[in-house]
Structure formats: C-alpha cells, structure tokens
Amino acid sequence: MAIAAGNSGRILVVDDQSVNLRVVGTLLTRQGYEVMSASSGEEALQRYVETPPDLILLDMMMPGMDGFDVLAALHELGPLQVPVVFVTAAHDRDLLLRAFDAGVVDYVTKPFLPEELLARVAAHVGLKLTRDRLERVAREREELVNLVAHDLKNPLGSVLFAAELLRSGLCKAERIPRYLQMIHESADDALGYIRHYLESQSASRDRSASEERADLGETLQWLHTRYEMQLEARGIRVDLRPPSAPAHVAIHPRVLRQVAENLVTNAMKYAPGSELLLAARNGAPGYWQLIVADRGPGIPPERQRELFKPFVRLHDEAKDDGLSNGLGLSLAKRIIARAGGQLWYEPRRQGGARFIIELPEAAVAN
C-alpha cells in the first residue's frame, strides 16, 4: 500500500525484509516521494500493473521469485519504461554485470548510506519525469498539428468549391456575390482556427465566460448558410430544426462549428442525394444536443466499435477525397469530451447515420 504522497515521483520498493521496507519507505517519504511497498516478486508485479511507478528499488536476492525473475516478468509485460535500481548486499562483479544486462540502470549496496540512496533515486526519478514531460509535450504538439491540418480542410475546401465555380464561368450572375462571400468567410474561418489553437496553447490566455458560450440556433443557421450551395450541388436537402427555446452550451462557438462541420462534410461525402437533418433538442438534465443525421448507408454494425478510433477509415476508398487520414471523428470526440460533453453515433431506423453532440448548458451570462 502507499505510505505517503508527494509531488516528486512514485517509487516501488521491493524487499522481502519488512525492516528494510520500513526504513527505506520512511526515508523516501520524508523527501516527498510517494512510496509503494512489496515484500515479494509476485506482489511487486501486482503493484506495478495496478499503479505504474516512476522508479523501482528492487532487492535482487529474494526467496522464491528473485529480482532477476521480476525483471524478466516486467519485460514480458511490454517495453520497460521505468528505471530499476537494484539493491544488493553482494559485491560480485558477475552479479552486477548480469543485473545490468537484465535492464537495471543503477545499483545500491547494503548497508547503504542514506545520502547515496537519495542521490541515486533523485537522479533517476528526475530523468524519468523529464522524459515523461518531453513525451507529453511531443504528443501535444503532434495533436495540435493534426487538429490544425485536419480542420483547415473544411474552410479551404469551401474556398476551392467557390473558386472553381467562379473560374468555370457557369455560375449564375446573381450567385457570384454569394460565392465571393463564401471565399472570404472561409478564409477568415481558417485564420480563426489557427488563432484559436495558438491562443489555446498559451498559459496566459484570459478566457471570459462569453468566449465559452455557443448558441445552438446560431450554429445550426451558420452550418446551413455556409454549406447550402455545396449541399445543393450534391443533391442533399436540408431539414433545419432549431431549438424551441434559446439554447446556449458551454463551449467556444468556433470550436462547436468546427466539430459540427466535420459531421456535415462527412454527410456530403457519404450520403449524396439524401436528406440531412440539422437539429437541436434537450438532452439529459442540464444538457443540450446538436444532431446531424443523414439517410446514407450508415456504419455497418461490425465497424461501429472502430468509429471513433484514430487513423481508421470506415468507408470505401473510392469515396475518399484523398485528404482523409481517419482523424476527424476521433478528434471531434476528444474536443467535445474536453468541454464536458459527449459525441456518439446511432443508426437510424430507416437507414442512415445520426451523430449526436451533447454539451452542458452554459451558465447564464451576467
């Protein structure tokens, strides 16, 4: 069990001698570490699986399952990302070499000096936590790049759609101002997405309550207006059902539009010549729902479990636009989850796909 909690890392101490567990545990606890103890190899493996530590202090010479057996079992669980410092009373050179070959990063001999033990622990825990932070930053940077690249596709796609019609010379004269407006608004949205992502990465950003308040009625109208001509070009009829009462949800308006238009562009791609439902309604108590539903082929039951997995495409490549990387729904679900909501899929009774975004109702603005 954990002896104490701190902010300097979690250490698993493995030793078959209870006095050693008590002495080492007390010493580390006083330094602010969270300490877990195990008196056998089997217990050590259980602790490791339940709560992965930042470092393992491992007694190599234990009855039954010794330290080498524990290391072998840890490697069988997967790549060992936790530094292991072994503790031994032996001064056998061959034993030391065998331990390093097994994957340990350092050792402490018994009886140990407290200062030496703490110095080695601090060094290896510090390296582990630094590596974790760097990996987390790298993941966040990769996620940001994926988000920006993916979500720039929709506004840039609208720009290309309008520009190609204008270049063709086949569009009606009365529609030219609308196409020019689409190009301007889409380019403005693209820049807005970039600014939003950059601001969201700044720790000094001051968010006001109004920034995290989206109007579902306005969002539905925006979707209809922005994609009206593209939907018409694909033979898709829109059934627009705004909320029966003012409906505000706790999310940035641009972020909600970004997620919702991903669902609309998917319907344009996979359900041409059908009807598209854009609606809002009450959800669970304190929540509102935004619904995007089509009458396309839907998602086969055997593939629905993979629907929100990243880098998974669930439709024929013949319908792919060459730009899809299978990230859209995965990113959308994560974005909505961060706002305290949910995004899920439901098959429609008479065929088609229904995606539901449920978000908490925004607090009343002062």
Side-chain angles (χ1 to χ4, degrees), residues 37-103:
S37 62
S39 58
S40 67
E42 292 82 2
E43 186 180 3
L45 293 175
Q46 182 180 351
R47 299 273 187 238
Y48 177 87
V49 171
E50 291 174 349
T51 311
D54 297 305
L55 180 139
I56 301 175
L57 276 176
L58 178 62
D59 182 17
M60 299 304 289
M61 308 306 291
M62 296 185 295
M65 192 177 195
D66 65 14
F68 293 105
D69 295 330
V70 172
L71 280 170
L74 289 174
H75 284 295
E76 289 180 0
L77 294 174
L80 186 59
Q81 303 295 329
V82 177
V84 178
V85 175
F86 81 94
V87 182
T88 179
H91 295 270
D92 189 316
R93 179 175 177 274
D94 291 336
L95 180 67
L96 295 179
L97 292 176
R98 182 185 170 197
F100 284 119
D101 286 340

Side-chain angles (χ1 to χ4, degrees), residues 150 154 223 227 230-239 258-279 290-299 307 315 319 321 324 328-329 345 348 351-355:
H150 181 272
N154 290 326
L223 288 169
Y227 287 98
Q230 288 154 279
L231 291 165
E232 179 183 310
R234 290 165 174 79
I236 299 176
R237 303 171 303 281
V238 177
D239 181 6
Q258 157 198 352
V259 173
E261 67 177 328
N262 276 324
L263 303 179
V264 171
T265 54
N266 279 343
M268 289 196 302
K269 185 187 302 182
Y270 299 116
S274 66
E275 182 179 84
L276 179 67
L277 172 65
L278 300 176
L290 187 150
I291 301 167
V292 178
D294 62 54
R295 287 296 183 186
I299 308 297
L307 188 57
H315 291 278
K319 296 181 179 179
D321 56 8
S324 176
L329 291 175
Y345 167 83
R348 303 185 76 181
R354 179 189 293 113
F355 287 92

Side-chain angles (χ1 to χ4, degrees), residues 140-270:
E140 290 173 352
R141 295 291 183 183
E142 182 180 5
E143 179 179 320
L144 177 61
V145 171
N146 285 333
L147 281 168
V148 173
H150 181 272
D151 292 319
L152 286 180
K153 291 193 310 178
N154 290 326
L156 293 180
S158 295
V159 169
L160 287 175
F161 171 80
E164 287 174 359
L165 284 175
L166 291 173
R167 289 182 60 192
S168 70
L170 300 177
C171 64
K172 298 178 181 179
E174 62 268 22
R175 286 198 170 188
I176 291 178
R178 180 66 187 92
Y179 288 132
L180 292 174
Q181 181 184 7
M182 181 185 295
I183 291 172
H184 181 273
E185 291 177 350
S186 298
D188 184 64
D189 277 342
L191 290 175
Y193 286 149
I194 293 173
R195 283 194 297 268
H196 177 78
Y197 287 128
L198 293 177
E199 290 171 358
S200 68
Q201 297 300 300
S202 173
S204 61
R205 185 183 177 212
D206 182 20
R207 297 185 178 181
S208 66
S210 61
E211 285 182 307
E212 302 301 327
R213 182 181 176 86
D215 186 307
L216 288 187
E218 291 179 359
T219 301
L220 291 176
Q221 187 59 55
W222 180 89
L223 288 169
H224 186 217
T225 303
R226 170 55 57 84
Y227 287 98
E228 180 180 11
M229 294 183 178
Q230 288 154 279
L231 291 165
E232 179 183 310
R234 290 165 174 79
I236 299 176
R237 303 171 303 281
V238 177
D239 181 6
L240 186 63
R241 301 183 190 178
S244 57
H248 298 90
V249 289
I251 192 171
H252 194 288
R254 191 183 298 277
V255 174
L256 180 58
R257 294 201 305 265
Q258 157 198 352
V259 173
E261 67 177 328
N262 276 324
L263 303 179
V264 171
T265 54
N266 279 343
M268 289 196 302
K269 185 187 302 182
Y270 299 116

